[in-house]
Amino acid sequence: MVARLVIAAPSSGAGKTTIATGLMAALVRAGLAVSPHKAGPDYIDPGYHALATGRPGRNLDPFLTSEDLVAPLFLHGARDADVAIVEGVMGLFDGLPDGYASTAHVARLIDAPVVLVVDATGQGQSVAALVHGFAGFDTRVRIGGVILNRVGSDRHEEVCRAALDHSGVPVLGVVRRTPGVETPSRHLGLIPVAERRREALEAVARLGDLVTASCDLTALVALAHTAPPLAADPWTPGEIPAPRTRVAVAGGPAFTFGYAEQAELLEAAGAEVVSFDPLRDERLPEGTRGLILPGGFPEMHVHDLAANEPLKREIAAFGGPILAECGGLLYLARELDGHPMVGLIDAKSHMSPRLTLGYRDAVVTADTVIGRTGERVRGHEFHRTVTDLPGERVYRWRGGADGYAAGRILASYLHLHWAGTPEAATRFVKECG
């Protein structure tokens, strides 16, 4: 059995990431092996979770994978851990219609107690009404405790605690308003760890100190141990054979978006997965037969990407299969905000004030290096750029379309979780020869 907690909140901005990351760091400091998880398709928060725990941050998303895979994927990530912490997404019950893919949905699928992080700013007795409403809204979700966040004074704490005394939901922590613990953000959320590693390490340590001083770690761990055994087997990518081909995956500060299961599936399909940094490396790793350019923030590093002419030339001449998602698509285009990129796709990209965000249930319209015509795939868009892609779109969904495929190139704004489409790895490795 894996002891586990879901850290949720009534709404976005209540402090879930602060509390979840701080709790992970605090428990590791207490000597526990902690497995970090994130509900939904977020790529950035898991980077901070990984810093706090020393383990890959893993996503649990029933839309991108399936309801049936959430518990197995959770058990795969939590193997050999003492406790697992799952950070929620948005408000506890916010997701698709009927709460599908919400934090509450994930909590039900892994049968985990929920700790509700409540921003107490400007509230007193109303805190109890809010908690009472959330605790009774869906009795399939067990709210096992509350952490009061941004409490202003001793008197404020007394009022909130007294109001919650008769709620039946214990207060497991009270976190005071603490300037300087916030992690800096920009147009798509927090700044990724890879862009500020030293500062991020310091921030995670401060969060661990804050939670240790403010929360009842013993009670939180005890609550985690009330989670029952799961009737599921851990997910597995399959047996890992001796590698027969090499797949290079872009990383570094400009390309930080990815799911850990992708590399695991590629390895199980016979690939040796190696990383390179397009900001620094002037050559692809020796022997590269396939190339993956994941999402990230190339727009924030456009000058350095444009200046690395040797690597751009090598990628432009590369003959193997190339998969580019979101940021990778921008890098393969001819221009990004007026700066020359690789040029394999005759398109220009530019920043936009409009955020494109949401799940996509798409149909594949042409054979690609990972898909076949007529197949359905579920993905996620998350960007503030626009690209004038040429040709026909390779993914179509109700009300939209996206994606470019030509020869052995597939480029799209769509992010896929390969645990939901494991054949993608097999097909990509086969394309590598």
Side-chain angles (χ1 to χ4, degrees):
M1 188 196 83
V2 180
R4 54 197 181 273
L5 291 176
V6 172
I7 307 299
S11 65
S12 295
K16 291 189 303 294
T17 302
T18 295
I19 301 303
T21 306
L23 179 58
M24 293 173 192
L27 294 176
V28 167
R29 190 178 300 167
L32 299 180
V34 180
S35 178
H37 303 263
K38 171 71 180 181
D42 185 285
Y43 293 104
I44 300 174
D45 293 350
Y48 287 88
H49 299 169
L51 273 190
T53 64
R55 297 168 67 114
R58 294 180 184 269
N59 297 69
L60 302 174
D61 193 313
F63 182 88
L64 293 181
T65 58
S66 72
E67 285 185 303
D68 292 340
L69 275 176
V70 169
L73 284 167
F74 168 78
L75 292 171
H76 170 68
R79 194 188 304 270
D80 301 323
D82 297 313
V83 63
I85 305 296
V86 182
E87 181 188 339
V89 59
M90 301 187 294
L92 175 57
F93 298 105
D94 299 326
L96 294 171
D98 298 324
Y100 195 94
S102 66
T103 302
H105 188 194
V106 171
R108 295 198 312 267
L109 290 171
I110 63 170
D111 205 354
V114 172
V115 175
L116 196 67
V117 177
V118 175
D119 182 353
T121 304
Q123 296 189 73
Q125 293 193 39
S126 294
V127 164
L130 185 151
V131 172
H132 176 77
F134 270 78
F137 182 78
D138 184 346
T139 56
R140 297 173 299 173
V141 178
R142 178 165 63 99
I143 297 180
V146 173
I147 293 176
L148 297 170
N149 194 26
R150 300 173 186 143
V151 173
S153 65
D154 289 347
R155 178 57 182 161
H156 189 194
E157 178 179 343
E158 290 172 8
V159 170
C160 291
R161 282 187 178 274
L164 286 164
D165 274 348
H166 304 294
S167 69
V169 182
V171 176
L172 301 180
V174 177
V175 180
R176 296 297 177 92
R177 296 173 194 161
T178 309
V181 300
E182 296 83 3
T183 300
S185 302
R186 59 174 179 233
H187 58 285
L188 292 181
L190 300 182
I191 297 176
V193 164
E195 297 187 44
R196 54 186 302 269
R197 186 171 182 84
R198 181 178 62 80
E199 296 90 341
L201 283 166
E202 293 171 354
V204 168
R206 288 196 300 272
L207 294 179
D209 291 340
L210 181 65
V211 168
T212 298
S214 306
C215 298
D216 187 340
L217 298 185
T218 300
L220 286 162
V221 171
L223 176 62
H225 278 278
T226 66
L230 286 170
D233 294 321
W235 176 85
T236 175
E239 295 296 324
I240 298 178
R244 62 178 184 273
T245 192
R246 174 171 276 197
V247 173
V249 180
F255 298 96
T256 56
F257 292 5
Y259 298 118
E261 291 81 3
Q262 182 185 65
E264 293 168 347
L265 284 162
L266 285 168
E267 290 170 350
E272 177 194 8
V273 180
V274 294
S275 63
F276 70 102
D277 183 353
L279 295 178
R280 175 176 54 82
D281 297 327
E282 295 187 344
R283 298 291 307 274
L284 291 173
E286 185 176 354
T288 294
R289 303 291 295 275
L291 180 59
I292 294 179
L293 303 169
F297 289 101
E299 64 269 25
M300 303 305 299
H301 305 275
V302 65
H303 293 91
D304 290 334
L305 289 172
N308 192 348
E309 292 287 352
L311 182 64
K312 288 193 301 179
R313 287 195 298 269
E314 183 166 349
I315 292 175
F318 184 70
I322 301 177
L323 172 67
E325 286 189 352
C326 199
L329 161 64
L330 306 182
Y331 186 50
L332 285 188
R334 190 171 69 253
E335 290 183 8
L336 173 54
D337 282 338
H339 298 273
M341 295 289 103
V342 172
L344 272 175
I345 302 174
D346 186 18
K348 296 181 180 180
S349 304
H350 60 86
M351 291 293 293
S352 166
R354 177 175 175 268
L355 174 64
T356 300
L357 171 68
Y359 287 124
R360 308 290 183 241
D361 189 352
V363 175
V364 181
T365 65
D367 289 353
T368 72
V369 293
I370 63 169
R372 299 294 179 265
T373 303
E375 292 180 343
R376 301 193 74 89
V377 296
R378 286 184 160 187
H380 181 258
E381 281 192 280
F382 185 45
H383 56 93
R384 284 190 186 271
T385 59
V386 175
T387 303
D388 59 337
L389 287 172
E392 297 295 321
R393 302 287 78 82
V394 73
Y395 295 122
R396 293 193 175 275
W397 58 87
R398 181 179 296 179
D402 184 61
Y404 167 87
R408 306 180 81 189
I409 299 172
L410 170 61
S412 170
Y413 276 115
L414 212 60
H415 296 281
L416 304 181
H417 193 307
W418 281 16
T421 55
E423 63 276 5
T426 304
R427 290 167 178 170
F428 190 82
V429 170
K430 185 176 181 181
E431 285 283 341
C432 294

